[in-house]
């Protein structure tokens, strides 16, 4: 499980969970998930956004496998959506794609991640964490060169 920011950087990574456990189950068993549920994370309080007079909370965007919490939002279920629910879901879907893109970028650059890693769980966890650290380092050092040749969504582009 990973938390990723809008700039394709890993903010939190937890590896080693059984692949058969649901995303919501993995989240519930991580220190991050437990701290979020117990409101122990140091999340900045609500702040105003440009063009909006009301203070809005900082939130994490998740898919529908996760629980709805004060700082964790998720889309409406896809069946029988109203127009306003579909409109609400669209930007959440865009935000969640950033996480998928990060894993795609990392797999394209560290090709060992494209197939089963036939080592012990402990070694596989180290390989994955090393990939995450290297990804962040290379993104920070020279994102343009690191992303060269990859089809990456421009988060500054509207629509």
């Amino acid at each position: 499980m990973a938390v990723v920011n809008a700039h394709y950087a890993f903010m939190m990574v937890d590896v080693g969970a059984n692949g058969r456990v649901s995303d919501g189950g993995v989240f519930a068993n991580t220190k991050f998930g437990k701290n979020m549920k117990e409101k122990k994370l140091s999340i900045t309080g609500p702040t105003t956004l440009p063009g909006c007079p009301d203070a809005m909370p900082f939130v994490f965007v998740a898919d529908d496998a996760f629980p709805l919490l004060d700082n964790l939002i998720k889309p409406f279920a896809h069946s029988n959506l109203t127009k306003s629910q579909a409109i609400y879901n669209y930007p959440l879907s865009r935000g969640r794609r950033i996480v998928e893109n990060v894993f795609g970028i990392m797999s394209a650059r560290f090709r060992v991640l494209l197939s089963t890693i036939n080592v012990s769980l402990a070694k596989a966890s180290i390989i994955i964490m090393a990939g995450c650290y290297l990804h962040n380092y290379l993104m920070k050092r020279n994102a343009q060169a690191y992303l060269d040749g990859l089809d990456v969504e421009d988060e500054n582009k509207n629509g």
Side-chain angles (χ1 to χ4, degrees):
M1 189 187 104
V3 174
V4 176
N5 68 17
H7 303 289
Y8 299 98
F10 289 101
M11 304 301 292
M12 187 284 303
V13 178
D14 190 286
V15 298
N18 186 319
R20 294 179 214 165
V21 177
S22 71
D23 289 345
V26 171
F27 174 76
N29 289 311
T30 64
K31 187 174 182 180
F32 178 82
K34 290 174 186 173
N35 284 339
M36 178 177 271
K37 189 172 183 177
E38 296 170 8
K39 299 181 181 183
K40 292 182 179 176
L41 294 179
S42 297
I43 299 174
T44 302
T47 189
T48 56
L49 298 172
C52 180
D54 300 324
M56 304 301 288
F58 283 84
V59 295
F60 294 89
V61 178
D63 65 24
D64 51 358
F66 288 80
L68 186 61
L69 300 171
D70 288 345
N71 292 97
L72 185 69
I73 60 174
K74 64 183 197 171
F76 286 100
H78 292 287
S79 58
N80 301 321
L81 287 176
T82 65
K83 184 175 181 178
S84 61
Q85 289 171 334
I87 291 169
Y88 170 87
N89 278 1
Y90 180 73
L92 292 186
S93 174
R94 285 194 55 152
R96 287 187 357 257
R97 281 196 318 246
I98 298 296
V99 177
E100 300 302 327
N101 288 345
V102 169
F103 285 112
I105 292 164
M106 211 169 89
S107 296
R109 291 299 180 225
F110 307 113
R111 300 181 66 86
V112 66
L113 301 174
L114 289 174
S115 61
T116 303
I117 304 172
N118 291 315
V119 296
S120 69
L121 178 60
K123 286 183 182 178
S125 295
I126 291 168
I127 291 167
I128 293 166
M129 289 301 294
C132 294
Y133 281 111
L134 285 169
H135 168 86
N136 278 2
Y137 173 76
L138 294 168
M139 283 292 292
K140 189 172 186 171
R141 182 145 188 228
N142 190 344
Q144 187 174 2
Y146 177 61
L147 299 174
D148 188 42
L150 298 176
D151 184 21
V152 178
E153 195 172 340
D154 182 357
E155 73 265 6
N156 296 316
K157 186 178 174 184
N158 293 327

